[in-house]
Amino acid sequence: MTNNFWHGKNVFITGCTGLLGSWLAITLVECGANVIGLIRDWVPRNNLNWSGFGQRITIVRGDVTDYATVERALGEHEVDTVFHLAAQSIVGIANRNPLSTFETDIKGTWTMLEACRRSPLAKRIVVASSDKAYGDQDKLPYDEATPMQGRHPYDVSKSCADLIAQAFGATYHLPVAITRCGNIYGGGDLNWNRVVPGTMRSVLHGEPPIIRSDGKLARDYLYVDDVVSGYMLLAEQLEEQTLHGQAFNLGMNNPQSVLEIVQKIIAISDYPNLEPVILNQVSNEIERQCLDSAKAKRILGWEPRTSLEDGLRRTMAWYRLFLAEQGPGGKETR
């Protein structure tokens, strides 16, 4: 992949070992960018290492809430572009551990943005929010004017971080924009308690997948390559001041229930007769979410290009290869 815009750019990514962060880092390296990744906890089995790209980026060890670390990284590496993705990404963990979630998601966001505000070189900042920031709404799909009204710790942390980013754009004219995505899936997600990777692992082992919820929770599911392209398109256009402080939905506008996703994965597996086990043990989750991405298409020229069926097949191929090399990894807990 080539993109002359990114050649020679110094790009700082927080959350670079996660699903989105790793593929974004890989794509930017392939485009000729100098990628600097902030890593708090070193996890040997991650997509960035497994792909070999962990050796092709500069690593800064530290926490996104540590202002001195973030400021030093931006200054010493002459960073011109920031993708702030670091956050607690698992709803259940966030709701069980609200203080660490608020610390990372909320304090981490204002720390990152204040360091960018004081950096003379930072020209493009993209902050990852989520469709969860909208909370429960009577009217769907969400558009970008829908108010932020998270109610539970995970959702509230996203609402707060989103509003903080908007404030830095409006008050300080910081070149920051916000993305609100649906559920991102793809190869490289090793959070096995998520529905897609957990189900993939189960069916590849010939085991019935376990659904912790009642299976009716409905979400947009967006393939990671389409999300990466959205982030990069948005960053490329942030020299346009009218975009500063704005948010963009990235979604499929085609919500699927957990049970539907699990059934689609089973159907493309080697064990199409597997039946999922539904535990119905989940609480404090939004029942149904759906994003209107018309603004991203109109302003950024972005739209998803990967169908759900194609994305799931590509994801299955990744996990098939990964698990074959890694050996048995235990049972799925979603």
Side-chain angles (χ1 to χ4, degrees), residues 19 87-98 100-101 105 132 153-155 157-158 189-195 197 212 285 333-334:
L19 169 61
Q88 173 51 257
S89 59
I90 306 297
V91 175
I93 294 174
N95 290 342
R96 287 195 303 270
N97 302 278
S100 62
T101 298
D105 294 9
K132 308 297 187 297
Y154 182 91
D155 315 331
S157 74
K158 296 298 184 182
D189 187 353
L190 302 181
N191 289 302
W192 302 112
N193 60 348
R194 285 197 183 122
V195 60
R212 291 186 301 112
E285 289 225 31
T333 59
R334 173 74 183 178

Side-chain angles (χ1 to χ4, degrees), residues 12-15 37-42 59-74 84-88 99-113 115:
F12 188 64
I13 304 176
T14 70
L38 180 68
I39 297 177
R40 184 189 66 180
D41 300 330
W42 182 250
I59 294 172
V60 174
R61 296 301 300 273
D63 195 302
V64 72
T65 64
D66 183 347
Y67 181 84
T69 296
V70 174
E71 183 181 55
R72 179 189 67 79
L74 296 183
H84 175 49
L85 313 180
Q88 173 51 257
L99 297 188
S100 62
T101 298
F102 294 154
E103 183 83 2
T104 299
D105 294 9
I106 302 174
K107 182 180 180 181
T109 299
W110 83 56
T111 300
M112 188 75 252
L113 293 175

